[in-house]
């Protein structure tokens, strides 16, 4: 793979991860922080995919699959929790 392409991918992924971490730190609500952490997990997964493609191996594939599943399950769990807590707040009014 072309080293310039790898460097561009790494640079864009770094910027995306830094912006997501800023949102985690500054996010006004819990849901903003959860979405930002989901973006960070996605950036890590994509970074591992770029590394696997650059080195032409598939040994990181199980790690990629597990990280993607953990990110998905975590996001769905927090979304369900947030929906239930907002339903409780509405019923109290």
């Amino acid at each position: 793979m072309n080293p310039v392409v790898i460097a561009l991918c790494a640079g864009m992924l770094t910027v995306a991860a830094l912006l997501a971490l800023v949102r985690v730190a500054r996010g006004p609500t819990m849901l903003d922080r959860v979405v930002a952490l989901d973006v960070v997990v996605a950036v890590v997964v994509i970074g591992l995919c770029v590394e696997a493609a650059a080195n032409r191996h598939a040994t990181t594939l199980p790690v990629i699959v597990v990280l993607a599943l953990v990110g998905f399950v975590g996001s769905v769990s927090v979304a369900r929790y947030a929906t239930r807590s907002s339903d409780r707040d509405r019923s109290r009014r």
Side-chain angles (χ1 to χ4, degrees):
M1 205 168 182
N2 191 351
V4 175
V5 173
I6 295 170
L8 283 173
C9 289
M12 289 188 289
L13 289 173
T14 302
V15 169
L18 289 175
L19 290 173
L21 289 174
V22 167
R23 176 51 63 194
V24 169
R26 298 180 74 195
T29 65
M30 178 187 70
L31 292 178
D32 288 332
R33 289 183 171 99
V34 170
V35 169
L37 286 173
D38 195 35
V39 169
V40 170
V41 170
V43 167
V44 169
V45 168
I46 294 168
L48 287 172
C49 291
V50 168
E51 186 271 330
N55 294 328
R56 298 177 188 255
H57 64 81
T59 56
T60 57
L61 186 61
V63 176
I64 291 167
V65 171
V66 168
L67 275 175
L69 287 173
V70 166
F72 173 74
V73 170
S75 295
V76 169
S77 299
V78 171
R80 289 189 64 158
Y81 172 75
T83 302
R84 287 183 184 162
S85 65
S86 68
D87 288 343
R88 284 187 211 136
D89 292 342
R90 288 184 195 153
S91 66
R92 290 180 185 171
R93 292 180 190 175

